[in-house]
Amino acid sequence: MSIKIIGTGSALPQKTVTNYDLMELVDTSDEWIKERTGIGSRHISTGETLVSLTAEACGKALENAGREAAEVELLLVATCSPERGIPCAACQVQSAIGAKQAVAFDLNAACAGFLFALNTAYAYVESGIYKNALVAGGEVLSKIVDWTDRGTCILFGDGAGAVYVEKSDNGGVLGFVQHSDGTRGDVLKCDSRALKNPYVDQPMETEYVQMDGREVFAFAVRQVPASILEVLSKTGNSVEDIDLFVLHQANKRIIEGIAKRLSINLDRFPVNLDRVGNMSSAAIPVLLDELNRAGRLKAGMKLVLSGFGAGLTYGACVMEW
Ligand code: ACO
């Protein structure tokens, strides 16, 4: 018994911001950004919210699955850029799409968030607690990025993706691995609120995303291949059995480094970061939706999904489409 993705959906803000647009904001170049990251443009919110984008992605996933919002029993939103501390984004999405009976809550594991949420849905649905789940990853990272910092503002984009899953006797998720290393949290961080009350007024350390890019790069290229090999071994698969490796879209050089370490041809690593940048927890479900709608995911294909990011958090899953 497992869970299977029955439908996918995604939503991006209307505005596209190219590397040339960023050259008007910071001292950078299209050549530098493309060479170091592979990113050419990204979508940036000019009014769309995490909730509006995620609700749109969820609606499309349900439509793609041929299911109604009222049938959804569990609604998980992975995000690290919510508009509100309370209520959680998932409850706001529940209200927006009319998923009246769904139990809804958020989960934050940064760029591994969608994968961790999918695993959470797996645990609930496989155990029989709920019959189905909507699992979304959504971000409006543009509001936590320092637009004067050329080291980070060139990397990120806004967007949301979602999948609808049900219990399955045939294929679906074959196995997961997840890891967290909180001792290395300082390499990528952003405070959300200052401690301020009648007794103390403590300023925030990092109002915007701060990153040690080299450390993040080294972590990803070392740990991600190890976790992919771990999940392949756990599920009795080898790299040759996998048709597509759907990785978190952080940057092109990280994906190339991972492919090289695994000795796998890059053409098995689909990429959309050139058009959308790094959308953290939205990256994997948006890419999955694009592949699904382009007809690139055929029944019986084996996929590896792999997310990694701040925390540090990382994990991988093997699934049969
Ligand atoms: N344009 C032009 N020059 C720049 C830019 C820019 N946008 N940003 C930095 N530079 C300069 C630096 O100031 C530095 O100049 P200096 O030598 O005069 O001091 C030079 O370029 C090299 O800077 P580094 O930070 O060492 O550049 P690096 O080669 O490490 O590339 C990058 C930076 C692209 C961020 C790289 O470290 C990386 O890919 N890291 C992975 C981080 C990542 O993808 N994070 C995403 C979020 S986490 C996640 O999703 C997993």
Side-chain angles (χ1 to χ4, degrees):
M1 204 64 92
S2 183
I3 63 162
K4 197 159 194 165
I5 295 177
I6 313 291
T8 63
S10 61
L12 298 171
Q14 259 189 343
K15 185 171 180 61
T16 301
V17 174
T18 65
N19 294 343
Y20 293 98
D21 295 326
L22 293 181
M23 286 163 62
E24 292 171 18
L25 302 178
V26 289
D27 180 13
T28 190
S29 67
D30 179 57
E31 192 188 6
W32 193 97
I33 300 171
K34 280 202 179 126
E35 190 189 305
R36 306 284 175 124
T37 71
I39 298 168
S41 62
R42 68 290 286 148
H43 291 257
I44 296 295
S45 168
T46 53
E48 297 92 344
T49 63
L50 163 68
V51 171
S52 71
L53 291 167
T54 307
E56 187 183 337
C58 284
K60 288 179 177 170
L62 285 170
E63 198 182 351
N64 186 238
R67 300 290 191 272
E68 299 294 329
E71 298 173 55
V72 177
E73 297 194 355
L74 177 66
L75 199 172
L76 301 177
V77 176
T79 186
C80 58
S81 55
E83 270 100 37
R84 291 187 171 148
I86 45 174
C88 66
C91 282
Q92 297 173 75
V93 171
Q94 175 203 31
S95 166
I97 65 172
K100 289 191 186 104
Q101 66 161 338
V103 169
F105 60 94
D106 291 359
L107 192 151
N108 177 0
C111 305
F114 173 77
L115 205 77
F116 282 25
L118 187 64
N119 200 11
T120 305
Y122 176 89
Y124 275 110
V125 176
E126 201 264 347
S127 64
I129 296 174
Y130 300 118
K131 287 203 223 32
N132 60 52
L134 254 180
V135 184
E139 305 288 0
V140 180
L141 296 167
S142 57
K143 62 177 182 267
I144 59 168
V145 159
D146 178 355
W147 287 92
T148 65
D149 174 15
R150 67 179 181 172
T152 52
C153 75
I154 55 144
L155 297 172
F156 299 103
D158 301 332
V163 301
Y164 172 83
V165 301
E166 285 178 357
K167 203 168 208 172
S168 154
D169 294 325
N170 176 25
V173 173
L174 304 178
F176 265 101
V177 296
Q178 296 182 125
H179 297 285
S180 304
D181 179 3
T183 64
R184 302 183 60 214
D186 271 357
V187 302
L188 183 51
K189 58 187 177 182
C190 177
D191 287 348
S192 59
R193 292 261 169 160
L195 177 60
K196 188 171 180 173
N197 62 38
Y199 315 106
V200 67
D201 187 356
Q202 199 171 293
M204 284 199 281
E205 189 193 339
T206 55
E207 193 180 349
Y208 298 110
V209 172
Q210 279 185 5
M211 178 181 73
D212 181 336
R214 292 193 170 198
E215 276 296 314
V216 173
F217 192 95
F219 144 71
V221 174
R222 194 171 48 243
Q223 301 293 2
V224 175
S227 64
I228 289 176
L229 291 175
E230 186 186 352
V231 78
L232 288 175
S233 155
K234 190 175 168 184
T235 56
N237 286 284
S238 69
V239 289
E240 286 76 32
D241 298 322
I242 304 303
D243 296 285
L244 290 176
F245 293 82
V246 181
L247 265 50
H248 168 51
Q249 302 285 294
N251 77 48
K252 185 186 68 165
R253 285 194 306 154
I254 288 180
I255 294 175
E256 287 169 353
I258 292 167
K260 194 171 168 201
R261 284 215 175 194
L262 293 169
S263 304
I264 304 169
N265 199 306
L266 257 185
D267 61 11
R268 283 199 274 159
F269 290 77
V271 162
N272 67 357
L273 62 89
D274 51 319
R275 290 179 286 109
V276 296
N278 179 347
M279 298 186 295
S280 191
S281 65
I284 292 176
V286 169
L287 181 55
L288 261 186
D289 183 49
E290 290 183 1
L291 294 168
N292 187 25
R293 285 169 196 267
R296 286 188 62 191
L297 304 178
K298 313 277 185 218
M301 262 183 148
K302 277 189 183 166
L303 313 182
V304 161
L305 270 46
S306 168
F308 45 95
L312 298 171
T313 53
Y314 55 104
C317 98
V318 181
M319 66 170 64
E320 195 176 301
W321 193 255

